[in-house]
Amino acid sequence: MEAIQLNQYEDISPVIDKPIISYQKVSKSFGDLKVLREIDLDIAPGEIVAVIGSSGSGKTTLARMLMTLEQPTSGVIMVDGEPLWHKSVNGKLVPADEKHIRRVRSKIGMVFQQFNLFPHMTILRNVTEAPIHVLGISRAEAEERAVAMLNKVGLGNKLDVYPAQLSGGQQQRVAIARALVMRPKVMLCDEVTSALDPELVGEVLEVLKEIAAEGETTMLLITHEMAFAGDVADRIIFIDKGRIVEQGPPNVILSNPRNPRTREFLSRFRQQWASKS
């Protein structure tokens, strides 16, 4: 990434005064393939945003850049008022070092499609390791936080079991507890039900609904579950061919989208959404 003048984005009028997440003219290419094209997106503190779109639309890449798993080709991503991939040096934004990226990234909790639990550790240890080794808190405090969070996701009676003894839905709930125990300012969920059997999807979505309802954590949800997005999101964003095509409240986007491409995409989910309404 090249150095960027700090005033490069002054002509952009932010939608939100003090966004917790801000994508500013963010693009991503893999060789000649342009996956994201000058994305501008602000997310307010406490807002629940669902991102929908077809496979290959760019929605997962949007999340992966926030996770710092993919680096933007151009543009700036801000987290809680700080650049994620850059830092300021003599009035310019220059590529940040790993220490800076790690510190800013620590404000983000991540839940992936795969659970990524440590198979040789109990559920309690899976949830306490990061607070101890990353946040530097005592084991006693970490265990207190972990027990409270595992109770919240309905697994307080599974502290001493191992991941292999749990269903996929239960393992994903442990992964959610592991992210939340770090007390992140932003919770990023990337297709968290896609690896689950259909009968297990509901239990994970119910936990996320409860967390969203508390209103304490900003959430960015990459999802193909339209009914779930309609239930929990404050705003739905539809991405197509690397661009934000349409965004707005769920009742507008899911019931009366204006863009023809949004209507075409949602037509395949209409029956699912109607059955939930």
Side-chain angles (χ1 to χ4, degrees):
M1 294 183 295
E2 298 179 355
I4 298 172
Q5 295 292 336
L6 285 178
N7 64 0
Q8 182 172 345
Y9 300 106
E10 287 179 351
D11 60 338
I12 297 175
S13 300
V15 177
I16 298 158
D17 287 340
K18 294 182 179 179
I20 187 78
I21 297 293
S22 181
Y23 292 80
Q24 301 175 356
K25 289 285 184 285
V26 173
S27 297
K28 177 62 180 178
S29 297
F30 296 98
D32 294 332
L33 178 63
K34 294 183 178 180
V35 180
L36 288 174
R37 302 167 183 265
E38 296 199 339
I39 295 291
D40 286 317
L41 172 63
D42 288 345
I43 299 175
E47 188 178 15
I48 313 297
V49 176
V51 181
I52 62 174
S54 302
S55 296
S57 62
K59 63 185 188 298
T60 293
T61 301
L62 188 79
R64 287 178 63 84
M65 289 190 297
L66 191 59
M67 294 176 187
T68 68
L69 297 176
E70 297 288 354
Q71 185 173 351
T73 303
S74 60
V76 173
I77 300 175
M78 305 290 289
V79 177
D80 196 24
E82 293 187 275
L84 175 61
W85 287 98
H86 299 84
K87 63 181 181 180
S88 177
V89 176
N90 298 325
K92 292 183 178 181
L93 289 181
V94 300
D97 54 33
E98 181 58 32
K99 181 179 179 181
H100 171 93
I101 293 172
R102 204 166 43 238
R103 180 180 60 79
V104 179
R105 183 178 58 202
S106 69
K107 301 177 183 182
I108 304 168
M110 308 169 195
V111 184
F112 301 91
Q113 298 176 20
Q114 302 297 329
F115 323 126
N116 299 325
L117 301 179
F118 296 111
H120 62 289
M121 293 184 182
T122 65
I123 297 312
L124 182 61
R125 278 201 65 195
N126 263 280
V127 179
T128 56
E129 287 300 289
I132 292 170
H133 296 292
V134 177
L135 299 182
I137 66 177
S138 69
R139 182 167 296 277
E141 183 180 351
E143 290 187 352
E144 183 179 354
R145 283 193 194 184
V147 170
M149 203 57 64
L150 286 165
N151 280 325
K152 176 177 284 191
V153 301
L155 294 172
N157 62 340
K158 302 289 186 182
L159 303 182
D160 298 321
V161 306
Y162 291 84
Q165 297 171 272
L166 299 179
S167 69
Q170 289 173 323
Q171 290 185 58
Q172 191 60 291
R173 283 190 277 152
V174 173
I176 292 169
R178 180 181 57 187
L180 287 172
V181 81
M182 300 293 286
R183 297 180 180 174
K185 293 192 174 186
V186 179
M187 184 81 157
L188 179 56
C189 300
D190 182 20
E191 299 280 17
V192 295
T193 61
S194 64
L196 299 177
D197 293 332
E199 64 269 22
L200 301 177
V201 169
E203 67 182 73
V204 173
L205 296 184
E206 194 58 39
V207 167
L208 291 175
K209 287 179 188 178
E210 292 173 5
I211 295 166
E214 292 174 357
E216 297 176 357
T217 305
T218 306
M219 299 179 73
L220 180 61
L221 310 170
I222 312 300
T223 186
H224 62 276
E225 299 281 349
M226 297 302 115
F228 169 65
D231 279 348
V232 305
D234 300 306
R235 179 169 33 139
I236 292 179
I237 292 170
F238 173 60
I239 291 184
D240 186 53
K241 297 180 180 178
R243 299 186 187 277
I244 295 177
V245 172
E246 190 167 1
Q247 59 181 306
N251 63 325
V252 174
I253 298 300
L254 295 179
S255 300
N256 189 31
R258 295 182 178 181
N259 189 281
R261 181 66 188 96
T262 315
R263 291 198 297 270
E264 178 189 353
F265 171 78
L266 287 171
S267 63
R268 74 192 72 169
F269 296 102
R270 194 66 60 195
Q271 184 176 359
Q272 174 191 0
W273 174 244
S275 67
K276 187 68 178 179
S277 300

